[in-house]
């Protein structure tokens, strides 16, 4: 593959007046070595169609193009950044840009498989995007995503910790999850007030049917909605102590003590009871 010569990040920022917009949750990464490490954290991308969200001036975009990715599709809301990435796309057929809102974009319909997502997510919509993608996890080989460190720790949290909650249960039920690297605030321009971290999620080979996912969401919403309560109280609307006993779980336990497989067992018991089984 011939070496791809792209304009420098500094030149792109200057040409397209790409100062970070706080209202869009923008914090740009500009250091090539760090951007290369993030692309490497995504694992083997050879032959995959990679989707990037919010590329900004295209620092991570450049790093992704240096991998063996078959194609990179950048989804960007900011018109200034759209223009900047479209400018890069004129230099290589392996890059395309979609001007739009990632929250409203049907990625599996837009980008052919096999596909992966690699993105420095805007802080204000990162968790919402993850939940959306978990609903279609079977469509992706992997999701390599940067969040605020606190959010990343919640995704990767273990039972019996303060960070463990709904997003940990859903993420770890559907994917193998790894906190791949932390990124100091000073690495960004402008620096955010918190550190960040990259989480890699690899969807499990067998994904649950939609009705089980909906049931797990209802169950975890109830269980963690009143996390200080014992589960017999928190799950009272879903069957309370009788549901828990049927699943072989002590009704006096609290939500943060249940492992992911116990939540799965509880979910299946709930569906069986609702079906009259």
């Amino acid at each position: 593959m011939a070496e791809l010569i792209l304009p420098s990040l500094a030149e792109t920022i200057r040409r397209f007046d790409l100062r970070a917009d706080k209202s869009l949750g923008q914090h740009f990464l500009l250091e090539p070595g760090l951007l290369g490490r993030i692309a490497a954290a995504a694992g083997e991308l050879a032959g995959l169609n990679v989707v990037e969200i919010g590329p900004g001036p295209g620092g991570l975009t450049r790093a992704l193009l240096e991998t063996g990715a078959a194609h990179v599709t950048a989804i960007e809301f900011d018109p200034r950044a759209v223009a900047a990435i479209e400018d890069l796309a004129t230099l290589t057929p392996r890059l395309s840009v979609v001007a739009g809102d990632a929250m409203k974009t049907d990625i599996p319909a837009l980008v052919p498989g096999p596909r992966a997502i690699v993105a420095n997510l805007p802080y204000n919509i990162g968790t919402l995007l993850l939940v959306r993608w978990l609903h279609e996890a079977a469509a992706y080989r992997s999701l390599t995503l940067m969040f605020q460190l606190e959010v990343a720790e919640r995704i990767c949290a273990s039972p019996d910790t303060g960070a463990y909650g709904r997003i940990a249960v859903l993420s770890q039920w559907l994917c193998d999850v790894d906190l791949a690297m932390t990124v100091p605030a000073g690495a960004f321009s402008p620096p955010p007030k918190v550190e960040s971290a990259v989480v890699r999620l690899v969807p499990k080979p067998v994904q649950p049917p939609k009705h089980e996912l909906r049931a797990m969401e209802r169950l975890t919403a109830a269980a963690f909605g009143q996390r200080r309560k014992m589960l017999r109280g928190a799950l009272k609307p879903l069957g309370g102590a009788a549901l828990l006993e049927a699943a072989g779980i002590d009704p006096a336990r609290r939500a943060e003590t249940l492992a992911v497989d116990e939540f799965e067992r509880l979910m299946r018991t709930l569906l069986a009871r609702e079906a009259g089984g």
Side-chain angles (χ1 to χ4, degrees):
M1 186 185 299
E3 183 180 0
L4 180 61
I5 306 298
L6 297 175
S8 70
L9 271 173
E11 181 181 343
T12 296
I13 291 168
R14 184 172 58 253
R15 274 189 64 199
F16 295 94
D17 191 27
L18 272 170
R19 290 164 294 187
D21 186 333
K22 288 187 178 180
S23 71
L24 298 177
Q26 290 176 335
H27 298 277
F28 297 149
L29 282 170
L30 306 177
E31 203 279 300
L34 177 59
L35 291 161
R37 287 175 56 209
I38 294 169
E44 183 57 70
L45 297 177
L48 299 187
N49 292 313
V50 176
V51 179
E52 183 187 5
I53 309 300
L60 182 58
T61 313
R62 288 164 166 81
L64 292 172
L65 288 169
E66 291 176 2
T67 72
H71 193 86
V72 177
T73 300
I75 301 173
E76 178 58 69
F77 184 78
D78 182 350
R80 301 170 305 155
V82 170
I85 302 302
E86 284 180 339
D87 186 63
L88 296 184
T90 64
L91 303 176
T92 171
R94 294 174 54 232
L95 174 63
S96 57
V97 59
V98 175
D101 184 347
M103 286 294 297
K104 299 176 182 177
T105 302
D106 184 347
I107 292 175
L110 178 70
V111 177
R115 64 185 75 80
I117 299 178
V118 185
N120 169 21
L121 296 177
Y123 283 169
N124 51 358
I125 58 170
T127 304
L128 293 173
L129 284 170
L130 173 60
V131 171
R132 177 188 175 110
W133 296 331
L134 288 174
H135 276 257
E136 55 193 31
Y140 304 106
R141 292 285 183 89
S142 64
L143 306 164
T144 306
L145 310 171
M146 187 180 299
F147 301 92
Q148 295 178 53
L149 179 59
E150 178 185 349
V151 175
E153 289 173 340
R154 291 208 305 266
I155 294 166
C156 302
S158 300
D160 280 315
T161 63
Y164 186 68
R166 287 191 74 202
I167 196 66
V169 174
L170 292 172
S171 298
Q172 295 173 35
W173 179 45
L174 300 170
C175 304
D176 293 321
V177 176
D178 176 53
L179 201 158
M181 59 184 288
T182 57
V183 181
F188 294 85
S189 178
K193 295 180 180 178
V194 295
E195 291 189 332
S196 299
V198 176
V199 178
R200 185 167 189 256
L201 303 98
V202 178
K204 294 181 178 178
V206 178
Q207 291 290 312
K210 295 297 183 185
H211 73 283
E212 289 189 0
L213 180 52
R214 288 192 296 268
M216 183 67 94
E217 288 190 312
R218 283 193 293 132
L219 178 65
T220 53
F224 288 103
Q226 303 178 74
R227 62 186 298 148
R228 292 187 179 182
K229 281 191 173 184
M230 288 183 281
L231 281 169
R232 65 187 176 204
L235 296 182
K236 191 172 183 179
L238 300 180
L243 169 67
L244 290 150
E245 289 166 356
I249 294 170
D250 182 354
R253 290 175 66 184
R254 289 179 169 79
E256 67 267 20
T257 71
L258 265 64
V260 173
D261 62 338
E262 291 179 297
F263 271 108
E264 182 174 24
R265 188 166 81 240
L266 193 55
M267 176 272 295
R268 296 191 190 285
T269 303
L270 173 64
L271 286 175
R273 287 168 61 88
E274 291 180 341

